[in-house]
Amino acid sequence: MPKTEEQFRQMRDDMRSRILRESSLYFAKNGFGDTKISDLAKHIGIGQGTIYLYFKSKEELFEEIRKNADNTNEVKLIKALAKLPLSAAAKIERISAEVIKKLEDEEYAVKITIYTQLLLEQDSGLYKSEMYEALAGIIKKGQKEGRLVKGDPLMLADLYWGTVYLYALKKLFIKDFKMIDKSTLCHLLEG
Amino acid sequence: MPKTEEQFRQMRDDMRSRILRESSLYFAKNGFGDTKISDLAKHIGIGQGTIYLYFKSKEELFEEIRKNADNTNEVKLIKALAKLPLSAAAKIERISAEVIKKLEDEEYAVKITIYTQLLLEQDSGLYKSEMYEALAGIIKKGQKEGRLVKGDPLMLADLYWGTVYLYALKKLFIKDFKMIDKSTLCHLLEG
Amino acid sequence: MPKTEEQFRQMRDDMRSRILRESSLYFAKNGFGDTKISDLAKHIGIGQGTIYLYFKSKEELFEEIRKNADNTNEVKLIKALAKLPLSAAAKIERISAEVIKKLEDEEYAVKITIYTQLLLEQDSGLYKSEMYEALAGIIKKGQKEGRLVKGDPLMLADLYWGTVYLYALKKLFIKDFKMIDKSTLCHLLEG
Amino acid sequence: MPKTEEQFRQMRDDMRSRILRESSLYFAKNGFGDTKISDLAKHIGIGQGTIYLYFKSKEELFEEIRKNADNTNEVKLIKALAKLPLSAAAKIERISAEVIKKLEDEEYAVKITIYTQLLLEQDSGLYKSEMYEALAGIIKKGQKEGRLVKGDPLMLADLYWGTVYLYALKKLFIKDFKMIDKSTLCHLLEG
DNA sequence: AATGAATGAGTGTTCATTCAT
DNA sequence: TATGAATGAACACTCATTCAT
């Protein structure tokens, strides 16, 4: 037994992450029903059986992917930003720059895609998400400062994140697409 | 039961339309792979076999739906509008008003959804669509008039229609959602 | 809809019974793990899918078969017999005649087989079965009458039914086997 | 680690025997199809791969077990006994005492179980077994001596060994079961 | 024409077997 | 030699499609 417990754990975690990562891309592009386990396994480059060593079923794998598609980092970023002594417009510029940069990474696009689709499927409305509310807070302040467009802050936040979702979709589906530029993204909220 | 030839034709056409209409909603919400014929039939309120009296296969039904999801009317509207002696801004306002009104109808939302997803799946890029090009034409003129935002007209058209797609999705998925208002939609293109 | 509700129910019940009957024979001969659904379906002469219209899973089908393998009729017979004004030896002769006659039917042999294997798998011992206890009651009386062999009545009942199980097995597995004759079966309990 | 050739051989033989012993118990209880190699390995307390160092396949392991379930010793015992100047009844008593004593050992019960099931699965009938024939020979003589029950000697031998199989099964499946006593076992054949 | 029970090709899942360590 | 993670052939199960009514 030349492997230490630690190395062993590492290998298992690596494989699990790999499956999650590759699967989320595949599911995001093809949907649940149109994704065959056999194709998925081939795409990842492992045997079908291997998937079942890490996940009980296709269903469970899918649920795990959805669970991982949280927005904790975005929320933290926005909340931290909100406290800084900057104009709302400047904050929105920072957020936009960050988001556009992150969208270069396909994994991030997948995360945005899955997260947004989750929100759509809960018919509770999109407005209960912390990410939306945090941005709405900044927008509200910006409107008082007079530099942002008028309108319900939550609806504007919704439009903003919706647009981000739009470009995440394009990232995933369209080869050689052109990313929205920062000024256009900011313009959604700016007067 | 001496029904006329005409009545027969009418009944067949009615059923065919009904299946197409209800199916397109179902496919738009659930995707192709996640839609079972048995569920679909139950949703429509007919037997599974009945679907096969009107369509050769699930695939053909889906293709028919995609074929119907054209944008001929939008293109006509925009092209007609383009020729009128109005400012680009006014034209965009007219288009926006029209689109927002049409989106009250779920069927229209389905059409927009399916059409956009079709474009996404062709990785040729979204920019070959006549609908996009027609709008881009108006934007180009508007930019010369100086009233619209700067930027590649085609990309701005893409943003515009993408946003429309976004609210079509919301219409389909979210009970009691609030539609984007005209001024916000116009603001996407206006300075 | 030319079928009445009643006819429809009848057809469903018939198919369900047919699957249960044929499956129990197949499972009894081959065991659960060695029985393939595809073989089973072929054996019954129906499609694989049909089995799943009536039973959720292979497991559930198996459980249903076990549930049906009760011994209610035997217990009733023995209890009724117990009350009659006959000698224990005569009663045992009647039971033996009945059992040997029933064993001509393969279905009965299957029932006995499955029932006995159920008892074996509960490691509670075989002695909690009503069928064993009812026979033990008759044996006890017979021992007082002096015509039966000595020994723990419950253990003798166990030997008796065990022997019946043995010949049920032979019925299922051996082509052209010779059934035990009544006098030999009775001799197990008679002095 | 300078182990001698002999020590190596010994270790290999020990492991092989251990796998055979534990597997035969497992197969006897669960059947071939219901026994998973992974469960079997866990039960034995070795890795799955280890089994394949000693046996080519699950099938071969099973065949090896069946091969070992011969009755050479019983046949020898009975044949030796047959020649002795004893009454048939005495011989049967000796056989019964021996069998009951051996059945204290679970391994012996496994052997009987597998051997009998082998006979059942050949639908050639149980009567071609040397063990059955050897006992039938003694029974035949006993009937002439007038001390044994009447009936076809081979069928009586069959009943006798079947009963032994019955108690082997109980030994394997039922915790705290009570073994048949010698007089009851002998009574099967005695008048 | 309309139905839904029946079918079997296709997909999800298991498990005997291999192989890197 | 011993291990158990990885594999893919084989099996359980689903669902698009057919067909008897």
Side-chain angles (χ1 to χ4, degrees):
Chain A
M1 232 162 311
K3 282 241 173 57
T4 69
E5 185 70 18
E6 183 52 35
Q7 278 176 312
F8 179 68
R9 246 189 81 85
Q10 185 61 40
M11 277 178 57
R12 273 196 66 84
D13 286 355
D14 286 353
M15 179 63 99
R16 194 185 147 88
S17 302
R18 185 175 154 208
I19 294 173
L20 272 175
R21 183 161 23 87
E22 302 283 3
S23 298
S24 61
L25 182 59
Y26 217 82
F27 278 130
K29 281 194 184 172
N30 304 310
F32 184 75
D34 290 312
T35 298
K36 289 185 247 171
I37 288 288
S38 57
D39 289 349
L40 182 51
K42 210 172 291 168
H43 167 77
I44 303 178
I46 58 177
Q48 297 182 47
T50 308
I51 292 173
Y52 289 89
L53 292 176
Y54 294 87
F55 302 92
K56 271 204 200 98
S57 64
K58 186 184 170 188
E59 193 83 27
E60 197 196 273
L61 172 56
F62 192 56
E63 284 314 314
E64 202 67 22
I65 287 170
R66 291 175 152 231
K67 220 176 287 171
N68 285 359
D70 57 17
N71 54 358
T72 325
N73 287 333
E74 268 60 44
V75 174
K76 274 187 199 158
L77 168 73
I78 298 170
K79 286 192 171 171
L81 218 52
K83 289 174 192 160
L84 294 185
L86 292 169
S87 71
K91 288 170 184 172
I92 286 163
E93 244 177 74
R94 291 267 281 270
I95 293 168
S96 300
E98 180 80 11
V99 162
I100 286 172
K101 186 158 162 279
K102 279 184 180 167
L103 275 175
E104 282 169 21
D105 181 13
E106 209 166 42
E107 261 189 75
Y108 183 73
V110 166
K111 210 168 145 183
I112 290 283
T113 302
I114 293 172
Y115 180 68
T116 307
Q117 283 166 5
L118 262 170
L119 285 182
L120 279 171
E121 277 166 33
Q122 310 163 358
D123 64 357
S124 58
L126 277 69
Y127 307 107
K128 284 194 181 142
S129 162
E130 257 197 309
M131 195 164 82
Y132 286 56
E133 284 164 359
L135 180 59
I138 292 178
I139 293 171
K140 209 169 188 173
K141 280 189 194 161
Q143 288 174 330
K144 283 178 194 160
E145 293 168 10
R147 294 271 304 281
L148 299 191
V149 292
K150 297 189 194 310
D152 178 357
L154 209 38
M155 285 218 38
L156 288 167
D158 181 31
L159 172 65
Y160 184 88
W161 288 123
T163 305
V164 172
Y165 166 60
L166 216 51
Y167 283 87
L169 277 183
K170 289 180 204 293
K171 170 78 184 174
L172 294 184
F173 283 94
I174 301 173
K175 206 172 45 194
D176 306 327
F177 88 109
K178 256 193 94 217
M179 177 54 69
I180 191 170
D181 56 87
K182 198 182 72 174
S183 65
T184 308
L185 187 54
C186 291
H187 176 72
L188 292 177
L189 303 177
E190 287 168 2
Chain B
M1 213 82 56
K3 285 220 185 78
T4 67
E5 184 72 16
E6 182 52 34
Q7 278 176 315
F8 256 126
R9 250 187 77 85
Q10 185 61 39
M11 278 176 58
R12 270 195 70 83
D13 286 356
D14 285 354
M15 179 62 100
R16 192 183 148 89
S17 301
R18 185 174 154 208
I19 293 173
L20 270 175
R21 184 162 21 87
E22 301 284 2
S23 298
S24 62
L25 181 60
Y26 216 85
F27 277 128
K29 280 194 182 172
N30 303 309
F32 184 75
D34 291 312
T35 297
K36 294 185 235 171
I37 288 289
S38 59
D39 289 349
L40 182 52
K42 211 174 288 167
H43 167 77
I44 303 179
I46 58 177
Q48 297 178 48
T50 308
I51 291 173
Y52 288 88
L53 294 175
Y54 294 88
F55 301 92
K56 270 205 201 100
S57 66
K58 186 183 170 186
E59 193 77 29
E60 195 197 274
L61 170 58
F62 194 54
E63 284 315 314
E64 202 68 22
I65 288 169
R66 290 177 153 226
K67 219 174 289 169
N68 285 358
D70 56 18
N71 54 0
T72 326
N73 288 332
E74 265 62 42
V75 174
K76 274 186 199 159
L77 168 73
I78 298 170
K79 286 193 171 172
L81 219 51
K83 291 173 190 161
L84 293 186
L86 291 170
S87 71
K91 289 170 184 172
I92 286 163
E93 245 178 72
R94 290 268 282 271
I95 295 169
S96 300
E98 181 78 10
V99 163
I100 286 172
K101 185 156 163 280
K102 279 185 181 167
L103 274 175
E104 281 170 20
D105 181 14
E106 207 167 46
E107 262 187 77
Y108 183 72
V110 166
K111 212 166 144 182
I112 290 285
T113 302
I114 291 171
Y115 180 69
T116 308
Q117 282 167 4
L118 259 170
L119 286 182
L120 279 171
E121 277 165 34
Q122 310 162 0
D123 65 356
S124 58
L126 277 69
Y127 308 108
K128 285 193 181 145
S129 162
E130 257 195 308
M131 195 164 81
Y132 285 57
E133 283 164 358
L135 180 59
I138 292 178
I139 293 171
K140 208 169 189 174
K141 280 189 193 161
Q143 289 173 330
K144 284 179 193 161
E145 292 168 11
R147 295 269 304 278
L148 299 190
V149 292
K150 297 187 194 311
D152 177 358
L154 211 37
M155 285 218 39
L156 287 167
D158 181 31
L159 172 65
Y160 184 88
W161 289 122
T163 306
V164 172
Y165 166 60
L166 216 52
Y167 283 87
L169 277 182
K170 289 181 204 291
K171 170 78 184 174
L172 294 185
F173 282 94
I174 301 174
K175 206 170 47 192
D176 306 327
F177 88 108
K178 254 193 97 218
M179 177 53 71
I180 192 171
D181 56 88
K182 198 182 72 176
S183 66
T184 308
L185 187 54
C186 290
H187 176 72
L188 292 176
L189 303 178
E190 288 169 2
Chain C
M1 229 162 310
K3 281 240 174 55
T4 68
E5 184 70 16
E6 182 51 36
Q7 278 175 313
F8 178 70
R9 247 188 81 85
Q10 185 60 40
M11 276 177 58
R12 273 196 67 83
D13 286 356
D14 286 355
M15 178 63 98
R16 195 184 146 88
S17 301
R18 184 174 154 209
I19 293 173
L20 273 174
R21 183 162 22 86
E22 301 284 3
S23 299
S24 62
L25 181 61
Y26 217 83
F27 278 129
K29 280 194 184 170
N30 303 310
F32 182 76
D34 289 312
T35 299
K36 288 183 249 171
I37 288 289
S38 57
D39 289 349
L40 182 51
K42 211 172 290 169
H43 168 76
I44 303 179
I46 59 177
Q48 296 182 46
T50 307
I51 292 174
Y52 289 91
L53 292 176
Y54 294 87
F55 301 93
K56 271 206 200 97
S57 64
K58 187 183 169 188
E59 193 84 25
E60 197 197 272
L61 171 56
F62 193 56
E63 284 315 314
E64 201 67 20
I65 287 169
R66 291 176 154 230
K67 218 175 289 171
N68 285 0
D70 57 17
N71 55 358
T72 325
N73 287 333
E74 266 61 44
V75 174
K76 271 187 202 161
L77 168 73
I78 299 170
K79 286 192 171 172
L81 217 54
K83 290 174 190 159
L84 294 185
L86 293 167
S87 71
K91 288 170 184 172
I92 285 162
E93 246 178 71
R94 290 268 281 269
I95 293 169
S96 300
E98 180 79 10
V99 162
I100 286 172
K101 186 158 161 279
K102 279 185 180 167
L103 274 176
E104 282 168 20
D105 180 14
E106 209 166 43
E107 259 188 78
Y108 183 74
V110 166
K111 209 167 146 184
I112 289 283
T113 301
I114 293 172
Y115 181 70
T116 307
Q117 283 167 3
L118 261 171
L119 285 181
L120 279 171
E121 277 165 34
Q122 310 161 359
D123 65 356
S124 58
L126 276 69
Y127 308 108
K128 283 194 180 143
S129 161
E130 257 196 309
M131 195 164 81
Y132 286 56
E133 283 164 0
L135 180 59
I138 292 178
I139 294 171
K140 207 168 190 173
K141 279 190 194 160
Q143 288 173 330
K144 283 180 193 158
E145 292 167 12
R147 294 268 305 279
L148 299 190
V149 292
K150 295 190 196 307
D152 177 358
L154 209 38
M155 286 220 35
L156 288 168
D158 181 31
L159 172 65
Y160 184 88
W161 288 123
T163 305
V164 172
Y165 166 60
L166 215 53
Y167 283 87
L169 276 183
K170 289 182 203 290
K171 169 78 183 173
L172 294 185
F173 283 94
I174 300 170
K175 207 172 43 193
D176 306 327
F177 89 109
K178 255 193 97 217
M179 177 54 70
I180 192 171
D181 57 86
K182 199 182 71 174
S183 66
T184 308
L185 187 54
C186 290
H187 176 71
L188 291 176
L189 303 178
E190 287 167 4
Chain D
M1 211 85 52
K3 284 217 185 79
T4 67
E5 185 72 14
E6 182 53 35
Q7 278 175 313
F8 257 125
R9 252 188 76 85
Q10 186 60 41
M11 276 175 58
R12 271 195 68 82
D13 286 357
D14 284 355
M15 179 63 98
R16 193 184 147 89
S17 301
R18 185 174 153 210
I19 293 172
L20 270 175
R21 186 163 19 88
E22 301 284 2
S23 299
S24 61
L25 181 59
Y26 215 85
F27 277 128
K29 278 194 182 173
N30 302 310
F32 183 74
D34 292 311
T35 298
K36 293 184 237 171
I37 288 289
S38 59
D39 289 349
L40 182 53
K42 210 173 289 168
H43 168 77
I44 302 177
I46 60 177
Q48 298 178 48
T50 308
I51 291 173
Y52 288 87
L53 295 175
Y54 294 87
F55 301 92
K56 269 204 202 104
S57 65
K58 187 184 170 188
E59 194 77 27
E60 195 196 275
L61 171 57
F62 194 55
E63 284 314 312
E64 202 68 21
I65 287 169
R66 289 175 156 229
K67 220 175 288 169
N68 286 358
D70 59 16
N71 55 359
T72 325
N73 287 333
E74 267 61 42
V75 174
K76 274 187 199 158
L77 168 74
I78 298 168
K79 286 193 170 171
L81 218 55
K83 290 174 189 159
L84 293 185
L86 291 168
S87 73
K91 287 170 184 173
I92 285 163
E93 244 177 73
R94 290 269 282 270
I95 293 169
S96 299
E98 180 78 10
V99 162
I100 286 171
K101 185 155 164 282
K102 280 184 179 169
L103 274 176
E104 281 169 21
D105 180 13
E106 206 165 46
E107 264 188 74
Y108 183 72
V110 166
K111 211 166 145 183
I112 290 283
T113 301
I114 292 172
Y115 180 69
T116 308
Q117 284 166 3
L118 260 170
L119 286 181
L120 279 171
E121 277 164 34
Q122 310 163 358
D123 66 355
S124 59
L126 277 68
Y127 308 108
K128 285 195 179 140
S129 161
E130 257 197 309
M131 193 164 80
Y132 285 57
E133 284 164 359
L135 180 59
I138 292 178
I139 293 170
K140 207 169 191 173
K141 280 190 190 157
Q143 288 173 331
K144 283 180 192 157
E145 290 167 12
R147 290 269 304 280
L148 300 190
V149 291
K150 295 186 196 309
D152 176 357
L154 209 37
M155 284 219 38
L156 287 168
D158 181 32
L159 172 65
Y160 184 87
W161 288 122
T163 304
V164 171
Y165 166 59
L166 216 52
Y167 282 88
L169 276 182
K170 289 182 204 291
K171 170 79 184 172
L172 294 184
F173 282 94
I174 301 172
K175 206 172 46 193
D176 306 326
F177 88 108
K178 256 192 96 216
M179 178 52 72
I180 192 170
D181 57 86
K182 198 182 72 177
S183 67
T184 308
L185 187 54
C186 290
H187 175 73
L188 292 176
L189 303 177
E190 287 167 3

